[in-house]
Short mmCIF file of all heavy atoms in Angstrom, two decimals:
data_model
loop_
_atom_site.label_atom_id
_atom_site.label_comp_id
_atom_site.label_asym_id
_atom_site.label_seq_id
_atom_site.Cartn_x
_atom_site.Cartn_y
_atom_site.Cartn_z
N GLY T 1397 -9.81 11.32 2.18
CA GLY T 1397 -9.21 10.94 0.99
C GLY T 1397 -9.63 9.55 0.57
O GLY T 1397 -9.93 8.74 1.36
N GLY T 1398 -9.55 9.40 -0.74
CA GLY T 1398 -9.81 8.10 -1.27
C GLY T 1398 -8.53 7.32 -1.60
O GLY T 1398 -7.48 7.85 -1.43
N GLY T 1399 -8.75 6.24 -2.24
CA GLY T 1399 -7.57 5.50 -2.71
C GLY T 1399 -7.94 3.98 -2.72
O GLY T 1399 -9.03 3.60 -2.32
N LEU T 1400 -7.02 3.26 -3.20
CA LEU T 1400 -7.21 1.81 -3.33
C LEU T 1400 -7.03 1.17 -1.95
O LEU T 1400 -6.06 1.31 -1.24
CB LEU T 1400 -6.17 1.26 -4.24
CG LEU T 1400 -6.24 -0.24 -4.65
CD1 LEU T 1400 -7.54 -0.58 -5.33
CD2 LEU T 1400 -5.09 -0.68 -5.49
N LEU T 1401 -8.08 0.44 -1.47
CA LEU T 1401 -8.04 -0.21 -0.15
C LEU T 1401 -7.61 -1.63 -0.30
O LEU T 1401 -6.92 -2.17 0.61
CB LEU T 1401 -9.40 -0.17 0.46
CG LEU T 1401 -9.95 1.25 0.80
CD1 LEU T 1401 -11.34 1.14 1.32
CD2 LEU T 1401 -9.01 2.03 1.80
N ARG T 1402 -8.00 -2.32 -1.31
CA ARG T 1402 -7.73 -3.78 -1.48
C ARG T 1402 -7.55 -4.15 -2.88
O ARG T 1402 -8.31 -3.71 -3.79
CB ARG T 1402 -8.94 -4.54 -0.86
CG ARG T 1402 -8.78 -6.02 -0.90
CD ARG T 1402 -9.89 -6.70 -0.16
NE ARG T 1402 -9.98 -6.23 1.20
CZ ARG T 1402 -11.20 -5.91 1.82
NH1 ARG T 1402 -12.29 -5.97 1.18
NH2 ARG T 1402 -11.15 -5.54 3.13
N LEU T 1403 -6.62 -4.95 -3.21
CA LEU T 1403 -6.36 -5.51 -4.52
C LEU T 1403 -6.51 -7.02 -4.49
O LEU T 1403 -5.80 -7.68 -3.72
CB LEU T 1403 -5.08 -5.11 -5.07
CG LEU T 1403 -4.56 -5.65 -6.36
CD1 LEU T 1403 -5.46 -5.17 -7.45
CD2 LEU T 1403 -3.13 -5.32 -6.61
N MET T 1404 -7.43 -7.55 -5.23
CA MET T 1404 -7.59 -9.06 -5.18
C MET T 1404 -7.23 -9.56 -6.61
O MET T 1404 -7.74 -9.07 -7.57
CB MET T 1404 -9.08 -9.39 -4.87
CG MET T 1404 -9.54 -8.81 -3.58
SD MET T 1404 -8.74 -9.46 -2.14
CE MET T 1404 -9.58 -11.00 -1.89
N LEU T 1405 -6.42 -10.62 -6.61
CA LEU T 1405 -5.96 -11.22 -7.81
C LEU T 1405 -6.36 -12.72 -7.83
O LEU T 1405 -6.22 -13.34 -6.86
CB LEU T 1405 -4.45 -11.17 -7.90
CG LEU T 1405 -3.82 -9.73 -7.80
CD1 LEU T 1405 -2.29 -9.80 -7.65
CD2 LEU T 1405 -4.16 -8.90 -9.03
N ARG T 1406 -6.95 -13.19 -8.91
CA ARG T 1406 -7.40 -14.50 -9.03
C ARG T 1406 -6.35 -15.45 -9.46
O ARG T 1406 -5.56 -15.06 -10.36
CB ARG T 1406 -8.67 -14.61 -9.95
CG ARG T 1406 -9.23 -16.03 -10.11
CD ARG T 1406 -10.44 -16.00 -11.02
NE ARG T 1406 -10.07 -15.58 -12.35
CZ ARG T 1406 -9.62 -16.30 -13.34
NH1 ARG T 1406 -9.28 -17.53 -13.21
NH2 ARG T 1406 -9.32 -15.77 -14.45
N THR T 1407 -6.32 -16.66 -8.98
CA THR T 1407 -5.36 -17.72 -9.43
C THR T 1407 -6.07 -18.98 -9.55
O THR T 1407 -7.18 -19.17 -8.96
CB THR T 1407 -4.17 -17.80 -8.51
OG1 THR T 1407 -3.20 -18.76 -9.04
CG2 THR T 1407 -4.52 -18.23 -7.16
N GLU T 1408 -5.54 -19.97 -10.26
CA GLU T 1408 -6.00 -21.31 -10.28
C GLU T 1408 -5.07 -22.29 -9.57
O GLU T 1408 -5.37 -23.47 -9.52
CB GLU T 1408 -6.24 -21.76 -11.71
CG GLU T 1408 -7.28 -20.97 -12.48
CD GLU T 1408 -7.63 -21.47 -13.94
OE1 GLU T 1408 -7.07 -22.42 -14.29
OE2 GLU T 1408 -8.38 -20.76 -14.56
N ASP T 1409 -4.05 -21.67 -8.89
CA ASP T 1409 -3.03 -22.52 -8.21
C ASP T 1409 -2.68 -21.84 -6.88
O ASP T 1409 -1.61 -21.34 -6.72
CB ASP T 1409 -1.80 -22.77 -9.08
CG ASP T 1409 -0.82 -23.62 -8.41
OD1 ASP T 1409 -1.18 -24.41 -7.44
OD2 ASP T 1409 0.37 -23.63 -8.89
N LEU T 1410 -3.60 -21.84 -5.93
CA LEU T 1410 -3.41 -21.24 -4.64
C LEU T 1410 -2.32 -21.91 -3.90
O LEU T 1410 -1.48 -21.27 -3.15
CB LEU T 1410 -4.66 -21.07 -3.90
CG LEU T 1410 -4.69 -19.96 -2.78
CD1 LEU T 1410 -4.45 -18.59 -3.43
CD2 LEU T 1410 -6.05 -20.02 -2.13
N ALA T 1411 -2.23 -23.25 -4.00
CA ALA T 1411 -1.15 -23.98 -3.30
C ALA T 1411 0.23 -23.54 -3.78
O ALA T 1411 1.14 -23.35 -3.03
CB ALA T 1411 -1.32 -25.50 -3.51
N GLY T 1412 0.36 -23.26 -5.12
CA GLY T 1412 1.58 -22.79 -5.71
C GLY T 1412 1.87 -21.36 -5.23
O GLY T 1412 3.11 -21.14 -4.96
N VAL T 1413 0.95 -20.55 -5.04
CA VAL T 1413 1.15 -19.18 -4.52
C VAL T 1413 1.61 -19.29 -3.03
O VAL T 1413 2.60 -18.64 -2.72
CB VAL T 1413 -0.14 -18.36 -4.66
CG1 VAL T 1413 0.02 -17.03 -3.77
CG2 VAL T 1413 -0.55 -18.05 -5.97
N ARG T 1414 0.98 -20.18 -2.30
CA ARG T 1414 1.50 -20.30 -0.86
C ARG T 1414 2.92 -20.79 -0.85
O ARG T 1414 3.74 -20.33 -0.09
CB ARG T 1414 0.53 -21.28 -0.08
CG ARG T 1414 -0.67 -20.54 0.37
CD ARG T 1414 -1.40 -21.61 1.41
NE ARG T 1414 -1.94 -22.73 0.83
CZ ARG T 1414 -3.20 -22.82 0.35
NH1 ARG T 1414 -4.06 -21.84 0.53
NH2 ARG T 1414 -3.66 -23.97 -0.23
N ALA T 1415 3.26 -21.75 -1.70
CA ALA T 1415 4.64 -22.26 -1.74
C ALA T 1415 5.59 -21.20 -2.19
O ALA T 1415 6.73 -21.09 -1.64
CB ALA T 1415 4.72 -23.51 -2.69
N ALA T 1416 5.28 -20.41 -3.16
CA ALA T 1416 6.14 -19.29 -3.56
C ALA T 1416 6.28 -18.26 -2.43
O ALA T 1416 7.48 -17.81 -2.21
CB ALA T 1416 5.56 -18.65 -4.79
N LEU T 1417 5.27 -17.96 -1.78
CA LEU T 1417 5.32 -17.02 -0.65
C LEU T 1417 6.21 -17.57 0.46
O LEU T 1417 7.12 -16.87 1.04
CB LEU T 1417 4.05 -16.62 -0.08
CG LEU T 1417 3.10 -15.74 -0.95
CD1 LEU T 1417 1.75 -15.69 -0.38
CD2 LEU T 1417 3.74 -14.46 -1.24
N ASP T 1418 6.03 -18.89 0.82
CA ASP T 1418 6.86 -19.55 1.83
C ASP T 1418 8.37 -19.56 1.43
O ASP T 1418 9.24 -19.23 2.23
CB ASP T 1418 6.43 -20.91 2.03
CG ASP T 1418 5.10 -21.06 2.78
OD1 ASP T 1418 4.73 -20.11 3.45
OD2 ASP T 1418 4.42 -22.13 2.68
N ALA T 1419 8.61 -19.89 0.08
CA ALA T 1419 10.01 -19.92 -0.39
C ALA T 1419 10.68 -18.56 -0.29
O ALA T 1419 11.85 -18.42 -0.08
CB ALA T 1419 10.01 -20.43 -1.81
N ALA T 1420 9.88 -17.46 -0.47
CA ALA T 1420 10.33 -16.09 -0.40
C ALA T 1420 10.42 -15.54 1.04
O ALA T 1420 10.80 -14.40 1.24
CB ALA T 1420 9.58 -15.19 -1.28
N GLY T 1421 9.94 -16.33 2.04
CA GLY T 1421 9.94 -15.91 3.35
C GLY T 1421 8.82 -14.82 3.70
O GLY T 1421 9.01 -14.10 4.72
N VAL T 1422 7.79 -14.84 2.86
CA VAL T 1422 6.69 -13.89 3.07
C VAL T 1422 5.67 -14.50 4.00
O VAL T 1422 5.05 -15.61 3.63
CB VAL T 1422 6.15 -13.47 1.65
CG1 VAL T 1422 4.95 -12.51 1.96
CG2 VAL T 1422 7.20 -12.76 0.85
N ALA T 1423 5.37 -13.92 5.09
CA ALA T 1423 4.32 -14.41 5.96
C ALA T 1423 2.92 -14.17 5.29
O ALA T 1423 2.79 -13.17 4.58
CB ALA T 1423 4.37 -13.71 7.33
N HIS T 1424 1.99 -15.05 5.50
CA HIS T 1424 0.71 -14.88 4.93
C HIS T 1424 -0.37 -15.64 5.79
O HIS T 1424 -0.04 -16.55 6.62
CB HIS T 1424 0.63 -15.42 3.46
CG HIS T 1424 1.16 -16.80 3.43
ND1 HIS T 1424 0.32 -17.94 3.58
CD2 HIS T 1424 2.36 -17.38 3.15
CE1 HIS T 1424 1.02 -19.01 3.40
NE2 HIS T 1424 2.28 -18.70 3.11
N THR T 1425 -1.61 -15.18 5.66
CA THR T 1425 -2.73 -15.85 6.21
C THR T 1425 -3.63 -16.42 5.14
O THR T 1425 -3.62 -15.84 4.01
CB THR T 1425 -3.53 -14.95 7.11
OG1 THR T 1425 -4.06 -13.88 6.43
CG2 THR T 1425 -2.70 -14.47 8.21
N THR T 1426 -4.37 -17.45 5.45
CA THR T 1426 -5.34 -18.02 4.54
C THR T 1426 -6.72 -18.07 5.20
O THR T 1426 -6.83 -18.49 6.33
CB THR T 1426 -4.87 -19.49 4.08
OG1 THR T 1426 -3.66 -19.44 3.50
CG2 THR T 1426 -5.87 -20.11 3.08
N ASP T 1427 -7.68 -17.60 4.44
CA ASP T 1427 -9.07 -17.65 4.90
C ASP T 1427 -9.94 -18.36 3.94
O ASP T 1427 -9.70 -18.23 2.71
CB ASP T 1427 -9.60 -16.20 5.02
CG ASP T 1427 -8.84 -15.35 6.13
OD1 ASP T 1427 -8.64 -15.88 7.21
OD2 ASP T 1427 -8.32 -14.25 5.69
N VAL T 1428 -10.93 -19.09 4.45
CA VAL T 1428 -11.88 -19.76 3.57
C VAL T 1428 -13.22 -18.90 3.82
O VAL T 1428 -13.68 -18.74 4.88
CB VAL T 1428 -12.13 -21.24 3.88
CG1 VAL T 1428 -13.29 -21.86 3.11
CG2 VAL T 1428 -10.90 -21.97 3.71
N VAL T 1429 -13.77 -18.43 2.64
CA VAL T 1429 -15.03 -17.63 2.69
C VAL T 1429 -16.11 -18.59 2.39
O VAL T 1429 -16.12 -19.30 1.37
CB VAL T 1429 -14.95 -16.51 1.66
CG1 VAL T 1429 -16.29 -15.66 1.73
CG2 VAL T 1429 -13.83 -15.54 1.96
N GLN T 1430 -17.15 -18.61 3.27
CA GLN T 1430 -18.22 -19.54 3.09
C GLN T 1430 -19.61 -18.93 3.03
O GLN T 1430 -19.73 -17.83 3.69
CB GLN T 1430 -18.26 -20.59 4.17
CG GLN T 1430 -16.99 -21.48 4.25
CD GLN T 1430 -16.98 -22.47 5.39
OE1 GLN T 1430 -17.27 -22.03 6.52
NE2 GLN T 1430 -16.84 -23.71 5.07
N ARG T 1431 -20.51 -19.51 2.37
CA ARG T 1431 -21.98 -19.05 2.41
C ARG T 1431 -22.51 -19.51 3.66
O ARG T 1431 -22.04 -20.39 4.36
CB ARG T 1431 -22.64 -19.60 1.19
CG ARG T 1431 -22.20 -19.09 -0.10
CD ARG T 1431 -22.97 -19.74 -1.25
NE ARG T 1431 -22.49 -19.34 -2.60
CZ ARG T 1431 -21.48 -20.00 -3.22
NH1 ARG T 1431 -21.01 -21.07 -2.70
NH2 ARG T 1431 -21.06 -19.53 -4.27
N PRO T 1432 -23.70 -19.03 4.03
CA PRO T 1432 -24.46 -19.36 5.27
C PRO T 1432 -24.69 -20.88 5.38
O PRO T 1432 -24.70 -21.43 6.38
CB PRO T 1432 -25.77 -18.59 5.33
CG PRO T 1432 -25.33 -17.37 4.53
CD PRO T 1432 -24.41 -17.79 3.43
N ASP T 1433 -24.83 -21.54 4.17
CA ASP T 1433 -25.02 -22.97 4.15
C ASP T 1433 -23.78 -23.78 4.25
O ASP T 1433 -23.84 -25.06 4.31
CB ASP T 1433 -25.83 -23.35 2.93
CG ASP T 1433 -25.04 -23.22 1.63
OD1 ASP T 1433 -23.85 -22.88 1.68
OD2 ASP T 1433 -25.70 -23.52 0.53
N GLY T 1434 -22.63 -23.16 4.40
CA GLY T 1434 -21.39 -23.84 4.56
C GLY T 1434 -20.61 -24.04 3.32
O GLY T 1434 -19.48 -24.50 3.38
N SER T 1435 -21.30 -23.90 2.14
CA SER T 1435 -20.46 -24.07 0.85
C SER T 1435 -19.48 -22.99 0.80
O SER T 1435 -19.60 -21.89 1.19
CB SER T 1435 -21.51 -24.08 -0.28
OG SER T 1435 -22.14 -22.86 -0.39
N VAL T 1436 -18.36 -23.46 0.07
CA VAL T 1436 -17.23 -22.55 -0.02
C VAL T 1436 -17.44 -21.60 -1.25
O VAL T 1436 -17.72 -22.06 -2.36
CB VAL T 1436 -15.94 -23.37 -0.25
CG1 VAL T 1436 -14.73 -22.43 -0.56
CG2 VAL T 1436 -15.67 -24.20 1.01
N VAL T 1437 -17.24 -20.29 -0.93
CA VAL T 1437 -17.23 -19.28 -2.04
C VAL T 1437 -15.80 -19.20 -2.72
O VAL T 1437 -15.74 -19.16 -3.87
CB VAL T 1437 -17.63 -17.85 -1.47
CG1 VAL T 1437 -17.58 -16.83 -2.50
CG2 VAL T 1437 -19.06 -17.96 -0.91
N CYS T 1438 -14.89 -19.07 -1.81
CA CYS T 1438 -13.51 -18.91 -2.25
C CYS T 1438 -12.50 -19.13 -1.05
O CYS T 1438 -12.92 -19.16 0.08
CB CYS T 1438 -13.25 -17.58 -2.89
SG CYS T 1438 -13.40 -16.19 -1.76
N GLU T 1439 -11.21 -19.18 -1.42
CA GLU T 1439 -10.16 -19.26 -0.49
C GLU T 1439 -9.23 -18.05 -0.84
O GLU T 1439 -9.06 -17.78 -2.01
CB GLU T 1439 -9.43 -20.57 -0.61
CG GLU T 1439 -8.42 -20.81 0.53
CD GLU T 1439 -7.85 -22.24 0.44
OE1 GLU T 1439 -8.33 -23.06 -0.38
OE2 GLU T 1439 -6.91 -22.47 1.14
N VAL T 1440 -8.76 -17.38 0.18
CA VAL T 1440 -8.04 -16.20 -0.03
C VAL T 1440 -6.73 -16.27 0.77
O VAL T 1440 -6.72 -16.50 2.01
CB VAL T 1440 -8.78 -14.89 0.44
CG1 VAL T 1440 -7.99 -13.60 0.17
CG2 VAL T 1440 -10.15 -14.78 -0.24
N VAL T 1441 -5.54 -15.94 0.11
CA VAL T 1441 -4.26 -15.81 0.74
C VAL T 1441 -3.99 -14.39 0.86
O VAL T 1441 -4.05 -13.62 -0.19
CB VAL T 1441 -3.22 -16.61 0.04
CG1 VAL T 1441 -1.81 -16.34 0.57
CG2 VAL T 1441 -3.43 -18.08 0.16
N ARG T 1442 -3.59 -13.91 2.03
CA ARG T 1442 -3.23 -12.55 2.20
C ARG T 1442 -1.76 -12.33 2.70
O ARG T 1442 -1.52 -12.74 3.86
CB ARG T 1442 -4.17 -11.79 3.25
CG ARG T 1442 -5.63 -11.66 2.77
CD ARG T 1442 -6.53 -11.03 3.81
NE ARG T 1442 -7.80 -10.78 3.34
CZ ARG T 1442 -8.84 -11.59 3.41
NH1 ARG T 1442 -8.65 -12.71 4.11
NH2 ARG T 1442 -9.96 -11.28 2.99
N PRO T 1443 -0.84 -11.94 1.81
CA PRO T 1443 0.55 -11.72 2.28
C PRO T 1443 0.61 -10.60 3.30
O PRO T 1443 -0.26 -9.56 3.22
CB PRO T 1443 1.24 -11.29 0.99
CG PRO T 1443 0.32 -11.71 -0.14
CD PRO T 1443 -1.04 -11.59 0.39
N GLN T 1444 1.33 -10.75 4.28
CA GLN T 1444 1.53 -9.86 5.44
C GLN T 1444 2.68 -8.75 5.10
O GLN T 1444 3.63 -9.18 4.47
CB GLN T 1444 1.74 -10.53 6.73
CG GLN T 1444 0.71 -11.55 7.03
CD GLN T 1444 -0.70 -10.94 7.12
OE1 GLN T 1444 -0.91 -9.98 7.89
NE2 GLN T 1444 -1.63 -11.48 6.39
N GLY T 1445 2.47 -7.57 5.56
CA GLY T 1445 3.65 -6.59 5.49
C GLY T 1445 3.95 -6.23 4.09
O GLY T 1445 5.13 -5.97 3.79
N ASN T 1446 3.01 -6.09 3.12
CA ASN T 1446 3.38 -5.70 1.83
C ASN T 1446 3.53 -4.14 1.73
O ASN T 1446 2.86 -3.36 2.39
CB ASN T 1446 2.38 -6.15 0.77
CG ASN T 1446 1.00 -5.48 0.88
OD1 ASN T 1446 0.99 -4.31 0.63
ND2 ASN T 1446 -0.07 -6.05 1.38
N PRO T 1447 4.39 -3.68 0.88
CA PRO T 1447 4.69 -2.20 0.75
C PRO T 1447 3.75 -1.51 -0.15
O PRO T 1447 3.94 -0.30 -0.46
CB PRO T 1447 6.05 -2.16 0.28
CG PRO T 1447 6.18 -3.41 -0.59
CD PRO T 1447 5.32 -4.38 0.03
N ALA T 1448 2.71 -2.13 -0.60
CA ALA T 1448 1.80 -1.55 -1.66
C ALA T 1448 0.91 -0.47 -1.17
O ALA T 1448 0.38 0.32 -1.93
CB ALA T 1448 0.94 -2.66 -2.27
N GLY T 1449 0.69 -0.41 0.13
CA GLY T 1449 -0.21 0.66 0.74
C GLY T 1449 -1.61 0.24 0.72
O GLY T 1449 -2.52 1.06 1.13
N CYS T 1450 -1.87 -1.02 0.36
CA CYS T 1450 -3.29 -1.50 0.37
C CYS T 1450 -3.18 -2.97 0.61
O CYS T 1450 -2.13 -3.67 0.42
CB CYS T 1450 -4.07 -1.21 -0.95
SG CYS T 1450 -3.42 -2.15 -2.35
N GLU T 1451 -4.29 -3.56 1.10
CA GLU T 1451 -4.39 -4.92 1.35
C GLU T 1451 -4.35 -5.78 -0.03
O GLU T 1451 -5.01 -5.35 -1.00
CB GLU T 1451 -5.60 -5.35 2.02
CG GLU T 1451 -5.69 -6.85 2.35
CD GLU T 1451 -7.04 -7.26 2.97
OE1 GLU T 1451 -7.76 -6.29 3.47
OE2 GLU T 1451 -7.39 -8.40 3.07
N ILE T 1452 -3.47 -6.73 -0.07
CA ILE T 1452 -3.46 -7.65 -1.37
C ILE T 1452 -3.90 -8.97 -0.93
O ILE T 1452 -3.56 -9.59 0.13
CB ILE T 1452 -2.05 -7.67 -1.86
CG1 ILE T 1452 -1.53 -6.31 -2.31
CG2 ILE T 1452 -1.90 -8.71 -3.04
CD1 ILE T 1452 -0.12 -6.30 -2.73
N GLY T 1453 -4.83 -9.60 -1.77
CA GLY T 1453 -5.27 -10.91 -1.60
C GLY T 1453 -5.20 -11.68 -2.93
O GLY T 1453 -5.42 -11.12 -3.95
N ILE T 1454 -4.80 -12.93 -2.82
CA ILE T 1454 -4.85 -13.85 -3.98
C ILE T 1454 -5.94 -14.83 -3.72
O ILE T 1454 -6.03 -15.44 -2.62
CB ILE T 1454 -3.49 -14.53 -4.13
CG1 ILE T 1454 -2.38 -13.47 -4.32
CG2 ILE T 1454 -3.54 -15.52 -5.25
CD1 ILE T 1454 -1.62 -13.20 -3.05
N ILE T 1455 -6.84 -14.88 -4.67
CA ILE T 1455 -8.09 -15.60 -4.47
C ILE T 1455 -8.25 -16.78 -5.42
O ILE T 1455 -7.82 -16.75 -6.57
CB ILE T 1455 -9.28 -14.67 -4.54
CG1 ILE T 1455 -10.62 -15.25 -4.18
CG2 ILE T 1455 -9.40 -14.06 -5.99
CD1 ILE T 1455 -11.76 -14.23 -4.12
N GLN T 1456 -8.85 -17.88 -4.89
CA GLN T 1456 -9.12 -19.00 -5.79
C GLN T 1456 -10.57 -19.45 -5.55
O GLN T 1456 -10.90 -19.68 -4.34
CB GLN T 1456 -8.19 -20.18 -5.50
CG GLN T 1456 -8.41 -21.40 -6.49
CD GLN T 1456 -7.39 -22.50 -6.42
OE1 GLN T 1456 -6.46 -22.40 -5.60
NE2 GLN T 1456 -7.63 -23.55 -7.15
N TYR T 1457 -11.40 -19.58 -6.58
CA TYR T 1457 -12.71 -20.10 -6.57
C TYR T 1457 -12.66 -21.54 -6.66
O TYR T 1457 -11.80 -22.13 -7.33
CB TYR T 1457 -13.58 -19.49 -7.60
CG TYR T 1457 -13.77 -17.93 -7.44
CD1 TYR T 1457 -12.98 -17.06 -8.19
CD2 TYR T 1457 -14.56 -17.47 -6.45
CE1 TYR T 1457 -13.09 -15.67 -8.03
CE2 TYR T 1457 -14.74 -16.07 -6.28
CZ TYR T 1457 -14.02 -15.17 -7.06
OH TYR T 1457 -14.09 -13.85 -6.88
N PRO T 1458 -13.65 -22.38 -6.08
CA PRO T 1458 -13.64 -23.79 -6.11
C PRO T 1458 -14.10 -24.30 -7.43
O PRO T 1458 -14.04 -25.50 -7.71
CB PRO T 1458 -14.64 -24.18 -4.99
CG PRO T 1458 -15.58 -23.05 -4.86
CD PRO T 1458 -14.68 -21.77 -5.14
N GLU T 1459 -14.70 -23.41 -8.31
CA GLU T 1459 -15.06 -23.92 -9.55
C GLU T 1459 -14.38 -23.09 -10.71
O GLU T 1459 -13.87 -21.97 -10.49
CB GLU T 1459 -16.61 -23.58 -9.76
CG GLU T 1459 -16.95 -22.18 -9.63
CD GLU T 1459 -18.48 -21.98 -9.53
OE1 GLU T 1459 -19.25 -22.90 -9.69
OE2 GLU T 1459 -18.82 -20.81 -9.19
N PRO T 1460 -14.24 -23.75 -11.90
CA PRO T 1460 -13.56 -22.99 -12.98
C PRO T 1460 -14.28 -21.61 -13.34
O PRO T 1460 -15.53 -21.57 -13.14
CB PRO T 1460 -13.64 -23.95 -14.21
CG PRO T 1460 -13.96 -25.28 -13.47
CD PRO T 1460 -14.70 -24.97 -12.28
N ILE T 1461 -13.52 -20.72 -13.78
CA ILE T 1461 -14.08 -19.37 -14.08
C ILE T 1461 -15.21 -19.37 -15.14
O ILE T 1461 -16.19 -18.67 -15.02
CB ILE T 1461 -12.99 -18.33 -14.42
CG1 ILE T 1461 -13.49 -16.89 -14.48
CG2 ILE T 1461 -12.34 -18.77 -15.77
CD1 ILE T 1461 -13.91 -16.36 -13.10
N SER T 1462 -15.12 -20.32 -16.12
CA SER T 1462 -16.10 -20.40 -17.05
C SER T 1462 -17.55 -20.83 -16.42
O SER T 1462 -18.49 -20.26 -16.81
CB SER T 1462 -15.78 -21.47 -18.14
OG SER T 1462 -15.50 -22.67 -17.53
N GLU T 1463 -17.52 -21.78 -15.47
CA GLU T 1463 -18.68 -22.11 -14.77
C GLU T 1463 -19.20 -20.96 -13.96
O GLU T 1463 -20.44 -20.74 -13.84
CB GLU T 1463 -18.45 -23.33 -13.86
CG GLU T 1463 -18.27 -24.62 -14.68
CD GLU T 1463 -17.88 -25.76 -13.75
OE1 GLU T 1463 -18.46 -25.76 -12.52
OE2 GLU T 1463 -17.33 -26.76 -14.15
N ARG T 1464 -18.35 -20.33 -13.30
CA ARG T 1464 -18.67 -19.12 -12.41
C ARG T 1464 -19.37 -18.04 -13.22
O ARG T 1464 -20.38 -17.55 -12.85
CB ARG T 1464 -17.46 -18.60 -11.70
CG ARG T 1464 -17.77 -17.60 -10.68
CD ARG T 1464 -16.48 -17.31 -9.90
NE ARG T 1464 -16.57 -16.09 -9.19
CZ ARG T 1464 -17.31 -15.88 -8.09
NH1 ARG T 1464 -17.99 -16.83 -7.56
NH2 ARG T 1464 -17.36 -14.75 -7.49
N LEU T 1465 -18.79 -17.76 -14.43
CA LEU T 1465 -19.37 -16.72 -15.20
C LEU T 1465 -20.71 -17.08 -15.83
O LEU T 1465 -21.59 -16.34 -15.85
CB LEU T 1465 -18.36 -16.33 -16.37
CG LEU T 1465 -17.12 -15.62 -15.91
CD1 LEU T 1465 -16.15 -15.46 -17.10
CD2 LEU T 1465 -17.42 -14.30 -15.32
N ALA T 1466 -20.83 -18.38 -16.18
CA ALA T 1466 -22.12 -18.87 -16.75
C ALA T 1466 -23.22 -18.74 -15.68
O ALA T 1466 -24.34 -18.41 -16.02
CB ALA T 1466 -21.91 -20.29 -17.28
N ARG T 1467 -22.84 -19.09 -14.46
CA ARG T 1467 -23.80 -19.04 -13.43
C ARG T 1467 -24.32 -17.62 -13.07
O ARG T 1467 -25.41 -17.40 -12.63
CB ARG T 1467 -23.25 -19.64 -12.09
CG ARG T 1467 -24.20 -19.90 -10.96
CD ARG T 1467 -23.60 -20.78 -9.86
NE ARG T 1467 -22.21 -20.60 -9.59
CZ ARG T 1467 -21.72 -19.65 -8.82
NH1 ARG T 1467 -22.54 -18.79 -8.17
NH2 ARG T 1467 -20.45 -19.49 -8.54
N HIS T 1468 -23.52 -16.62 -13.30
CA HIS T 1468 -23.83 -15.25 -13.04
C HIS T 1468 -24.31 -14.41 -14.23
O HIS T 1468 -24.62 -13.29 -14.07
CB HIS T 1468 -22.62 -14.49 -12.42
CG HIS T 1468 -22.36 -15.00 -11.03
ND1 HIS T 1468 -23.10 -14.57 -9.91
CD2 HIS T 1468 -21.34 -15.78 -10.54
CE1 HIS T 1468 -22.60 -15.15 -8.85
NE2 HIS T 1468 -21.56 -15.86 -9.19
N SER T 1469 -24.46 -15.13 -15.35
CA SER T 1469 -24.92 -14.32 -16.51
C SER T 1469 -26.39 -14.66 -16.83
O SER T 1469 -27.08 -15.35 -16.23
CB SER T 1469 -24.03 -14.64 -17.79
OG SER T 1469 -24.07 -16.00 -18.10
#
């Protein structure tokens, strides 16, 4: 069967997301995704034990979305 495996949501305030999860008592992990040259692609916070039935990640890119979109168009 198929289904949703992962839901990623973008934010511009990952520190605020972590603070809100901490305040709510939600355990979470944070990962930094890097390119082979060591530059940062993004940072991802993954809340643990969510009831959604799929992995949830909150993602923040190191550059504004307008720059990111311009670079990929």
Side-chain angles (χ1 to χ4, degrees):
L1400 186 63
L1401 298 176
R1402 182 177 300 134
L1403 176 65
M1404 303 298 274
L1405 305 168
R1406 183 180 57 85
T1407 184
E1408 293 183 7
D1409 184 16
L1410 205 57
V1413 169
R1414 279 193 293 264
L1417 291 171
D1418 289 340
V1422 177
H1424 55 85
T1425 59
T1426 301
D1427 299 306
V1428 177
V1429 179
Q1430 297 178 310
R1431 293 179 186 90
D1433 68 3
S1435 62
V1436 175
V1437 175
C1438 64
E1439 191 173 350
V1440 182
V1441 170
R1442 291 182 174 93
Q1444 305 299 307
N1446 72 71
C1450 68
E1451 179 184 347
I1452 295 176
I1454 300 98
I1455 190 170
Q1456 182 174 359
Y1457 295 101
E1459 61 190 350
I1461 192 67
S1462 58
E1463 289 178 26
R1464 185 172 165 74
L1465 291 174
R1467 190 167 36 85
H1468 288 286
S1469 57

